[in-house]
Amino acid sequence: MKYLTIENILLAVFILLFTVFSLTAPGFLSESNLRAMAFQLPEFGLIALGMMVVILTSGIDLSLTYTSALAGIVIALGLTAGLPILAAILLGLGAAILCGCVNAFFVSNIGVSPILVTIGTMILYEGVSMQITKGGAISGFPEQFYVFGNATIGVIPLPIIIFAIFAIVTYVLLNNTPWGRSVYMIGSNPKATFFSGINTRRVLYYVYLYAALLAAIAGLIMASRYNSAKVDYGSSYLLLSIAAVVLGGTKIQGGYGKVMGTVLGVMIFQILTSALNLYGVSPHIVNIFIGGILIFVLTLNFILNNVGRKNVPKVIKRDTEIEA
């Protein structure tokens, strides 16, 4: 039974779906489709990793996709203004970090609910991006900039390598650093974490900053891959990222979640959306399908958590009787 983990189950589901789609979806194994999936997955995956880190603290960041878009737009502005590529990228990362600071300030210093703060900042960042671009796309980048979203090393796309690096970094940060352990502790019991001497405010600050950094890297890849930057690039990843995180086993109440689960959740949603598109299913039906999965997984987690809580007093009572 020790092998019956959520990650192993998700891996089995991924292999099963990949096999079924390979046999039934027309063109699923074609080079163009595999290439498209390989280049789309990193953008989605980076935003999902950022969302997972926030959800681990029992929070949520609904502004992540617009943080990503704003970072891409600032990079585009820098490039079209003639800045060196590195300077433009640093400018975009700085804009995203500023977005993360705003979220962190209101959540950790003021104590406003993360969902309310990030709904507000989502609209704010969208408005700022719209004001800058007037709803259009910014393009005309130097040729060297296309490397980030389109290059391959051997047969492996560079965006996949970037995503793998940040997945490993996220794993190490969460599992091998005091900050990572504090993230899990805050999600499990914020009051106990605070009274244990941990600076919960600082931990939350770094959580929102790290999520914003991952969103900015996703924005960089998108701007490079699309050869332009626009407000709504990546906006479809918002609900998908939450769904992938929850599907990957992260508790929406916080305190538990693994990087590998989120990565597998992202891979499953990526092949699902790709296969449904190949079947000719309408994008609206795809959204209904994904929304249904999210509701199902959330309901299942709620039921399992309630069953677990109901069992605790029985165990305690039984232990008490034995001691007596």
Side-chain angles (χ1 to χ4, degrees):
M1 293 295 288
K2 65 178 181 180
Y3 296 108
L4 197 61
T5 62
I6 183 71
E7 290 77 23
N8 287 344
I9 294 171
L10 287 173
L11 182 60
V13 169
F14 173 77
I15 293 171
L16 177 66
L17 289 176
F18 193 90
T19 305
V20 171
F21 293 148
S22 300
L23 297 173
T24 59
F28 183 80
L29 285 181
S30 66
E31 183 184 347
S32 60
N33 186 56
L34 293 177
R35 182 179 173 82
M37 284 196 293
F39 278 95
Q40 288 169 5
L41 188 142
E43 305 158 3
F44 172 26
L46 285 164
I47 291 174
L49 283 177
M51 188 68 78
M52 185 198 79
V53 176
V54 177
I55 289 177
L56 284 176
T57 63
S58 74
I60 196 163
D61 190 345
L62 299 177
S63 68
L64 270 183
T65 51
Y66 285 107
T67 299
S68 176
L70 185 57
I73 288 167
V74 171
I75 292 171
L77 283 177
L79 291 173
T80 52
L83 287 179
I85 292 175
L86 180 61
I89 291 173
L90 291 176
L91 205 60
L93 294 181
I97 293 298
L98 184 61
C99 293
C101 280
V102 173
N103 289 337
F105 174 78
F106 284 102
V107 172
S108 62
N109 285 62
I110 308 295
V112 184
S113 164
I115 191 168
L116 295 179
V117 170
T118 55
I119 283 175
T121 52
M122 176 180 69
I123 298 169
L124 173 67
Y125 303 153
E126 182 187 13
V128 171
S129 301
M130 286 291 286
Q131 180 61 29
I132 294 172
T133 62
K134 308 299 180 189
I138 302 175
S139 57
F141 307 147
E143 192 174 337
Q144 297 88 338
F145 182 69
Y146 304 150
V147 169
F148 298 102
N150 300 284
T152 58
I153 297 179
V155 294
I156 304 174
L158 180 59
I160 283 281
I161 295 173
I162 295 173
F163 172 58
I165 290 171
F166 277 98
I168 293 169
V169 168
T170 306
Y171 173 84
V172 172
L173 286 175
L174 288 176
N175 295 281
N176 297 90
T177 66
W179 174 76
R181 286 188 284 275
S182 302
V183 169
Y184 283 103
M185 288 171 68
I186 288 176
S188 298
N189 193 329
K191 285 186 180 177
T193 308
F194 175 77
F195 285 114
S196 68
I198 292 173
N199 189 336
T200 53
R201 187 176 296 174
R202 187 165 58 190
V203 173
L204 281 175
Y205 248 96
Y206 288 140
V207 163
Y208 284 91
L209 294 187
Y210 186 63
L213 173 67
L214 291 176
I217 302 297
L220 163 67
I221 294 173
M222 276 189 275
S224 175
R225 189 167 70 87
Y226 292 126
N227 189 20
S228 62
K230 198 166 178 272
V231 176
D232 56 358
Y233 285 172
S235 58
S236 62
Y237 294 140
L238 176 59
L239 294 181
L240 269 178
S241 63
I242 298 171
V245 170
V246 175
L247 181 68
T250 300
K251 286 187 178 179
I252 200 73
Q253 303 91 339
Y256 180 81
K258 292 184 178 179
V259 171
M260 181 53 72
T262 299
V263 171
L264 287 168
V266 167
M267 290 167 64
I268 288 172
F269 272 110
Q270 185 63 59
I271 63 167
L272 265 176
T273 51
S274 176
L276 290 173
N277 286 332
L278 290 172
Y279 286 135
V281 177
S282 160
H284 304 299
I285 302 296
V286 174
N287 288 339
I288 292 171
F289 188 72
I290 291 169
I293 292 176
L294 181 57
I295 291 170
F296 172 75
V297 175
L298 285 171
T299 307
L300 187 63
N301 283 345
F302 176 79
I303 293 170
L304 291 175
N305 284 335
N306 274 357
V307 169
R309 284 174 188 164
K310 285 177 183 176
N311 284 337
V312 170
K314 293 178 183 176
V315 174
I316 293 173
K317 185 178 177 182
R318 194 182 307 129
D319 289 345
T320 307
E321 289 171 355
I322 291 170
E323 288 175 3

